[in-house]
Amino acid sequence: MTTRTELTEEPGEAAAGRRSWLREHSELGVCVLLLALGVLVLTDALTMDVDITQRGPVGPKTVPVVVGAGLLVIAALLAVDVLRGGRGEAEGGEDVDLSEPADWRTVLLLSGIFLGAAALIEPAGFPVAGALLFWGAAFALGSRRVDRDPLIAAVLSLITYVVFDKLLGVPLPGGPLMGVL
């Protein structure tokens, strides 16, 4: 049975109602992200080319399949919770002022530094690209100690390179420093 107010509802009011519902259920965006990530992980895991000589129940597909399935389950459970009225609460200790606008300069600087390091890692090697990444990130986040930051970045990058390349056996490009390290 329709009421008189439903018959006289304007199209703009319906759109405003939909926007209001979406704003109240904005956590569904996280559900969609988790669902997409779970599908991506499962697709990659299930299409992984595995050596036929592998033996035993646990192989290279096991962990990605478990993680992908877990992401799908969490997405479904979160969606059910949100649709039943569950709301995420801000942590009591957060010091984020939501009335302030986003700092897009810092975001763009960090994005550029990250992309630059990714482009430099092959020709310059990880120690150089990593040092530029660490130094650039410190600069973008507000540190202006030009006497100290490059040195800390270089040491951090070299330690990371040595730990991954030499100790863990994860090959990283050394670049021009390959013969020295």
Side-chain angles (χ1 to χ4, degrees), residues 97-104:
D97 185 7
L98 296 177
S99 64
E100 291 292 320
D103 185 7
W104 289 108

Side-chain angles (χ1 to χ4, degrees), residues 20 51 112 152-153 158:
S20 173
D51 190 13
I152 291 173
L158 284 173

Side-chain angles (χ1 to χ4, degrees), residues 31-61:
C31 300
V32 171
L33 180 68
L34 290 172
L35 178 73
L37 193 59
V39 168
L40 177 70
V41 169
L42 276 177
T43 303
D44 280 350
L46 295 175
T47 59
M48 186 184 300
D49 188 26
V50 178
D51 190 13
I52 199 155
T53 61
Q54 178 214 334
R55 295 180 189 224
V58 178
K61 288 185 178 184

Side-chain angles (χ1 to χ4, degrees), residues 1-24:
M1 173 184 262
T2 59
T3 63
R4 178 169 229 185
T5 57
E6 290 176 7
L7 294 175
T8 60
E9 188 175 300
E10 296 291 322
E13 292 174 8
R18 280 192 298 268
R19 280 192 299 268
S20 173
W21 187 88
L22 286 173
R23 187 170 291 122
E24 291 172 7

Side-chain angles (χ1 to χ4, degrees), residues 81-128:
D81 181 53
V82 169
L83 293 174
R84 287 185 176 173
R87 302 273 310 164
E89 295 180 22
E91 292 182 26
E94 284 191 32
D95 60 349
V96 177
D97 185 7
L98 296 177
S99 64
E100 291 292 320
D103 185 7
W104 289 108
R105 179 183 176 274
T106 302
V107 171
L108 292 174
L109 268 173
L110 284 171
S111 299
I113 291 163
F114 182 76
L115 291 174
L120 283 176
I121 198 166
E122 197 60 44
F126 182 85
V128 173

